[in-house]
Amino acid sequence: MSIWENFWDLIWWFLWAFAFIAYLFALFAIIGDLFRDQKLNGWWKAVWIIFLIFVPFLTALIYLIARGKGMAERSQKEYSQVRAAQEEYIRQTAGTSASPSDEIAKAKALLDSGSINQQEYEALKAKALSHTA
């Protein structure tokens, strides 16, 4: 057996492995989309799953052709919801960052109300101004 026969066997094996892994990715995407779809009732989901088990390649191909556009829309909708939730979490965690003039105005209000003394006011003012530098 020559080295080239082994080489082409290896290439053929990689091709089949790639096709199988690509099929698994498509299968998991289809199953995830089935359970993400709120409009499809449970019986239709069960029918799709049964066909995916017994006629996997044909069912996956039909699902991608028939429901591919809706699949993309549901995926985009979920991505948008996750992104909005992340942005809201970041806003809540980071809090509102006031400008130095806002911080100085708040400190001045505290000074005027008598809650802090002149030295504390100067310290807050210096801290607010140091954030701009």
Side-chain angles (χ1 to χ4, degrees):
M1 208 170 187
S2 75
I3 193 165
W4 289 109
E5 289 178 20
N6 289 337
F7 174 75
W8 291 114
D9 287 342
L10 183 67
I11 296 295
W12 191 245
W13 184 85
F14 274 115
L15 179 68
W16 278 108
F18 174 78
F20 180 70
I21 291 170
Y23 167 72
L24 288 179
F25 272 99
L27 183 68
F28 290 131
I30 289 169
I31 292 171
D33 183 63
L34 275 172
F35 289 106
R36 185 182 310 125
D37 190 359
Q38 304 273 329
K39 295 177 185 171
L40 195 63
N41 74 29
W43 288 106
W44 281 111
K45 291 177 184 181
V47 168
W48 278 111
I49 295 292
I50 288 169
F51 274 98
L52 279 171
I53 291 170
F54 291 110
V55 192
F57 293 109
L58 183 62
T59 305
L61 185 63
I62 291 170
Y63 188 91
L64 292 174
I65 291 170
R67 298 178 49 89
K69 183 178 180 187
M71 192 174 177
E73 290 169 356
R74 284 183 291 279
S75 180
Q76 180 64 33
K77 181 180 175 185
E78 182 183 12
Y79 171 76
S80 297
Q81 289 172 345
V82 168
R83 184 171 177 167
Q86 279 181 329
E87 289 173 356
E88 179 62 27
Y89 173 75
I90 290 169
R91 265 189 239 102
Q92 287 176 352
T93 304
T96 58
S97 61
S99 68
S101 60
D102 291 338
E103 291 180 29
I104 293 170
K106 288 178 187 175
K108 179 67 172 156
L110 289 173
L111 176 65
D112 292 342
S113 71
S115 297
I116 61 173
N117 61 29
Q118 185 65 33
Q119 293 165 334
E120 292 170 323
Y121 169 73
E122 293 298 330
L124 289 172
K125 183 178 171 182
K127 183 178 177 186
L129 292 174
S130 71
H131 288 297
T132 61

